[in-house]
Amino acid sequence: MAHHVAVRNGSGCGLDIGPVRIAGYVLLCPYFGGEERMASEASFPRDVLMGLALFDQMWRLALPVGATRDHPAANPFGPDSAPLDGATFPPVLVADAEKDLLRDRTADAMRKPVELVVFEGQGHGFFVYEPWGAAADELVRVVRRFVHGDPRATS
């Protein structure tokens, strides 16, 4: 959602959000899709709960009938999406998980500068499954530093 709003705002598509100003945005384990399988998806084990079968099913439930994972809602960088060439973006923080099968669809796909932080040993949505864990604590510090510009907020 945050990415779609930032694209509309930064591409001059007539999104009137005034007096609000988007100063930046954070993507936590972004849930982007696409018909073409990325390396991280193709090599991911098939026998895990948070795997391709579940993610593909979630897209079938979320997208309009007959749409593919290249629908702009799922794949904002795909063939059916508006080009990002002329769009200007505020600062972007992408928090990604090393063991997230969708990790190849994040920072590189945006084709814009982003701050990428990869949480080693973690899977998709790690902060939901272990909200009081060390990785979730570090995520809070990283987001705090990004939002407030506080260098002490990282460990």
Side-chain angles (χ1 to χ4, degrees):
M1 193 67 133
H3 177 72
H4 292 285
V5 170
V7 168
R8 295 263 327 264
N9 185 60
S11 61
C13 290
L15 180 65
D16 182 14
I17 60 170
V20 173
R21 178 182 65 86
I22 299 175
Y25 66 103
V26 178
L27 299 175
L28 303 176
C29 295
Y31 195 80
F32 297 136
E35 284 299 304
E36 181 182 338
R37 294 294 188 203
M38 306 301 275
S40 60
E41 295 169 331
S43 65
F44 204 77
R46 302 277 185 232
D47 59 346
V48 295
L49 175 62
M50 294 287 287
L52 274 179
L54 176 65
F55 286 13
D56 288 349
Q57 177 67 16
M58 298 302 281
W59 281 124
R60 281 191 295 278
L61 294 170
L63 295 172
V65 174
T68 70
R69 291 184 309 275
D70 278 336
H71 186 281
N75 188 357
F77 319 108
D80 300 331
S81 297
L84 300 180
D85 300 339
T88 57
F89 286 99
V92 181
L93 169 65
V94 177
D96 212 354
E98 176 190 31
K99 294 182 178 180
D100 186 346
L101 72 97
L102 301 176
R103 71 182 175 274
D104 289 346
R105 294 196 178 274
T106 54
D108 290 342
M110 289 187 68
R111 295 178 218 105
K112 299 282 182 179
V114 300
E115 180 179 340
L116 175 64
V117 179
V118 178
F119 290 82
E120 294 187 21
Q122 301 301 314
H124 186 83
F126 65 91
F127 45 87
V128 173
Y129 300 107
E130 293 185 32
W132 295 279
D137 287 347
E138 180 63 15
L139 175 61
V140 170
R141 283 190 288 277
V142 167
V143 171
R144 178 176 177 217
R145 181 204 35 81
F146 178 77
V147 170
H148 297 291
D150 183 356
R152 296 170 299 148
T154 60
S155 59

